[in-house]
């Protein structure tokens, strides 16, 4: 990772934000999925007050499926539009990966901006310390973005489509989802929890691994 | 650019083998061959997007060989297999091609679009362009960042006569600055080459023109 990769990441982020603002495909997929899943769960359970641990688990299940439904989109679009090779010709693979991670994180945070208030309202959740809750959501989102972008890169190069992303992402995301659910539940209860350490470390560890791996994905 | 016993193929065997060539700046090589003989595959190998099954391609400067990751951004590859961004304007596509290669500041995008006959369409989305206009815009993107090697796959596909003339002028003018490799079966484009690589005859280079 060097200055050139960071520059590339910034250029790709700017390009993806610009195209997303014109099409709004990616953010629409994420918000529609999140809102639909929240409403379906709410009607199925039929109770306004649920246990905090169950609420936290449901929230992260929604975020997991929302991520695998939407975060592969930016890579698949590059392959479908036949622009991926042009990108790889022009820039470092690390920069391309980092740019996509940042764009996916931005998409995820925007989608959460719509889904989280609805989820809190529908399930009548009382948030303990807000900073702790938001930290869990932010670092959990970083982890989802880093891992889903890596798997999306793999899937897009194999020519496989969406469902493969969920199958491959789940084993990688399992530790993150466990820690995120536990820490979110602790934040909702206002209790102590150790999940945040895992949530902070996870994006760094998986991100470092991904930066080493992307060369082998894109450079035969 | 040195091709050293390069060979490649897929499940049914080799498309070409033992391909040798030494291309110096200022030379134009033309790859010909029937459909399916591996013209585009060879260009992808030269672009560093594909690793050959046999042999290797080396890019050298005066001091020695260069890693392909550092060479790739300095190559200009025009092929139907690489598209422009339809959700960006013509100007944004050119600026993106330059920015990804680390070029910043005031670039003369307008003059390149003008030379390619696209003046007045700078701020139109590429999604609204015809195939011929997209092909012209690919050349504007390419020449705006001054590549050191041109790899052109069917360079005049979708172009009208005026477009063909513009591209021919640009490529022949560029010849003095770097290496040009063209994959084509069009007799007019074959005329541009000094070195012919015919993949129908196993790819042994012969003198052109």
């Amino acid at each position: 990772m060097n200055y050139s990769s960071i520059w590339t990441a910034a250029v790709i982020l700017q390009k993806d934000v610009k195209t997303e603002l014109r099409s709004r495909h990616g953010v629409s997929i994420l918000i529609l999925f999140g809102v639909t899943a929240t409403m379906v769960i709410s009607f199925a359970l039929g109770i306004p007050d649920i246990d905090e641990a169950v609420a936290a688990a449901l929230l992260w299940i929604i975020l997991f499926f929302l991520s695998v439904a939407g975060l592969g989109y930016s890579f698949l679009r590059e392959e479908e539009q036949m622009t991926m090779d042009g990108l790889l010709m022009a820039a470092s693979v690390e920069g391309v990966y980092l740019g996509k991670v940042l764009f996916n994180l931005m998409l995820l945070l925007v989608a959460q901006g719509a889904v989280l208030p609805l989820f809190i309202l529908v399930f009548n959740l009382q948030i303990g310390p807000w900073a702790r809750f938001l930290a869990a959501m932010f670092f959990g989102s970083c982890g989802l973005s880093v891992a889903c972008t890596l798997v999306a890169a793999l899937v897009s190069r194999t020519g496989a489509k969406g469902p493969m992303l969920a199958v491959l992402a789940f084993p990688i995301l399992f530790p993150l989802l466990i820690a995120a659910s536990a820490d979110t539940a602790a934040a909702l209860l206002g209790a102590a929890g150790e999940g945040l350490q895992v949530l902070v470390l996870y994006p760094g560890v998986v991100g470092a691994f991904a930066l080493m791996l992307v060369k082998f994905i894109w450079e035969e | 650019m040195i091709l050293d016993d390069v060979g490649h193929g897929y499940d049914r065997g080799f498309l070409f083998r033992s391909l040798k060539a030494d291309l110096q700046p200022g030379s134009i090589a033309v790859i010909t061959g029937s459909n399916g003989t591996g013209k585009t595959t060879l260009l992808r190998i030269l672009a560093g997007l594909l690793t050959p099954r046999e042999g290797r391609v080396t890019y050298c400067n005066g001091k020695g060989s260069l890693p392909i990751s550092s060479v790739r951004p300095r190559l200009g590859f025009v092929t139907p297999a690489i598209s422009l961004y339809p959700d960006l304007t013509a100007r944004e596509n050119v600026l993106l091609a330059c920015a990804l290669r680390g070029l910043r500041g005031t670039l003369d995008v307008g003059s390149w679009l003008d030379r390619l006959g696209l003046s007045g369409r700078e701020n139109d989305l590429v999604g609204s362009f015809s195939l011929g206009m997209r092909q012209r815009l690919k050349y504007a993107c390419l020449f705006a960042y001054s590549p050191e090697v041109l790899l052109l796959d069917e360079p005049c596909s979708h172009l009208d006569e005026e477009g063909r003339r513009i591209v021919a002028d640009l490529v022949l003018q560029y010849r003095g600055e770097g290496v040009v490799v063209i994959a084509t079966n069009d007799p007019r484009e074959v005329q541009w080459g000094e070195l012919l690589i015919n993949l129908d005859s196993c790819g042994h280079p012969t003198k052109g023109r």
Side-chain angles (χ1 to χ4, degrees):
Chain A
M1 178 66 65
N2 51 24
Y3 175 74
S4 138
S5 299
I6 294 166
W7 167 261
T8 299
V11 171
I12 288 173
L13 175 65
Q14 188 187 27
K15 183 267 294 178
D16 279 346
V17 168
K18 202 177 278 181
T19 53
E20 182 59 34
L21 286 173
R22 284 173 188 165
S23 69
R24 295 196 180 89
H25 287 160
V27 78
S28 306
I29 293 169
L30 292 177
I31 291 176
L32 274 174
F33 189 96
V35 168
T36 307
T38 303
M39 296 313 292
V40 168
I41 292 169
S42 159
F43 283 117
L45 291 177
I47 46 170
D49 296 307
I50 57 171
D51 183 72
E52 281 78 3
V54 175
L58 286 174
L59 177 59
W60 281 100
I61 288 169
I62 291 172
L63 291 177
F64 166 71
F65 282 107
L66 180 149
S67 300
V68 295
L71 297 192
Y73 171 72
S74 71
F75 268 127
L76 293 175
R77 186 173 54 186
E78 298 278 0
E79 292 288 348
E80 282 169 8
Q81 291 180 344
M82 298 196 301
T83 50
M84 194 66 209
D85 282 343
L87 216 50
L88 296 177
M89 286 286 298
S92 69
V93 290
E94 293 89 352
V96 173
Y97 171 75
L98 191 61
K100 294 293 182 186
V101 167
L102 293 174
F103 174 69
N104 280 340
L105 177 62
M106 193 176 280
L107 269 188
L108 201 51
L109 292 177
V110 169
Q112 281 182 13
V115 175
L116 273 182
L118 180 71
F119 191 89
I120 291 167
L121 195 71
V122 163
F123 292 106
N124 195 24
L125 296 175
Q126 303 299 315
I127 310 295
W130 269 96
R132 174 94 183 284
F133 176 75
L134 292 177
M137 299 312 299
F138 176 76
F139 287 111
S141 301
C142 289
L144 280 174
S145 177
V146 163
C148 285
T149 306
L150 172 64
V151 178
L154 273 166
V155 170
S156 69
R157 283 322 253 183
T158 60
K161 299 293 175 191
M164 279 297 288
L165 186 62
V167 174
L168 292 174
F170 183 70
I172 299 171
L173 286 171
F174 189 69
L176 176 85
L177 294 172
I178 297 291
S181 301
D183 198 63
T184 306
L188 290 174
L189 288 164
E194 292 176 355
L196 192 59
Q197 292 168 0
V198 177
L199 295 185
V200 173
L201 284 174
Y202 183 93
V205 172
V206 176
F209 173 70
L211 286 171
M212 288 188 285
L213 194 65
V214 285
K215 267 186 184 297
F216 298 100
I217 297 173
W218 284 317
E219 294 183 357
E220 283 185 84
Chain B
M1 182 199 294
I2 301 166
L3 284 76
D4 186 13
D5 277 330
V6 173
H8 197 75
Y10 299 101
D11 296 340
R12 297 179 67 184
F14 279 87
L15 289 167
F16 49 82
R17 298 185 86 163
S18 307
L19 188 56
K20 284 177 184 286
D22 185 348
L23 300 173
Q24 299 294 327
S27 59
I28 299 183
V30 175
I31 305 165
T32 60
S34 319
N35 296 146
T37 50
K39 298 188 294 294
T40 301
T41 300
L42 180 54
L43 281 188
R44 286 179 63 80
I45 289 170
L46 299 182
L49 291 170
L50 196 61
T51 306
R53 273 172 68 179
E54 285 183 349
R56 62 180 179 165
V57 176
T58 314
Y59 285 91
C60 303
N61 60 9
K63 295 168 189 165
S65 64
L66 301 164
I68 190 65
S69 57
S70 72
V71 171
R72 219 161 21 206
R74 291 143 72 180
L75 308 178
F77 191 14
V78 173
T79 168
I82 297 180
S83 297
L84 300 158
Y85 287 95
D87 293 328
L88 297 181
T89 66
R91 174 178 288 277
E92 287 166 347
N93 268 284
V94 178
L95 288 173
L96 177 67
C98 296
L100 285 170
R101 290 167 173 85
L103 299 175
R104 293 149 247 195
T106 50
L107 290 158
D108 198 3
V109 177
S111 83
W112 279 112
L113 291 173
D114 196 30
R115 281 183 78 172
L116 269 303
L118 292 170
S119 54
R121 304 299 300 267
E122 295 95 327
N123 298 316
D124 291 355
L125 291 180
V126 169
S128 67
F129 280 18
S130 69
L131 290 174
M133 289 166 73
R134 290 182 199 209
Q135 185 75 352
R136 288 177 183 226
L137 183 57
K138 284 182 186 178
Y139 284 100
C141 292
L142 186 85
F143 285 108
Y145 64 80
S146 307
E148 290 169 40
V149 175
L150 291 189
L151 304 171
L152 309 178
D153 187 6
E154 306 290 353
C156 294
S157 60
H158 306 300
L159 292 178
D160 55 19
E161 279 308 313
E162 188 205 5
R164 282 177 172 275
R165 184 185 52 74
I166 293 170
V167 168
D169 287 348
L170 284 171
V171 171
L172 295 173
Q173 275 173 27
Y174 174 86
R175 181 170 49 182
E177 299 170 34
V179 176
V180 185
V181 183
I182 301 166
T184 184
N185 281 322
D186 187 319
R188 286 175 289 183
E189 293 157 15
V190 172
Q191 291 290 314
W192 302 347
E194 292 142 359
L195 183 76
L196 291 182
I197 300 172
N198 186 351
L199 296 181
D200 284 329
S201 57
C202 300
H204 297 301
T206 54
K207 287 275 180 194
R209 285 196 294 189

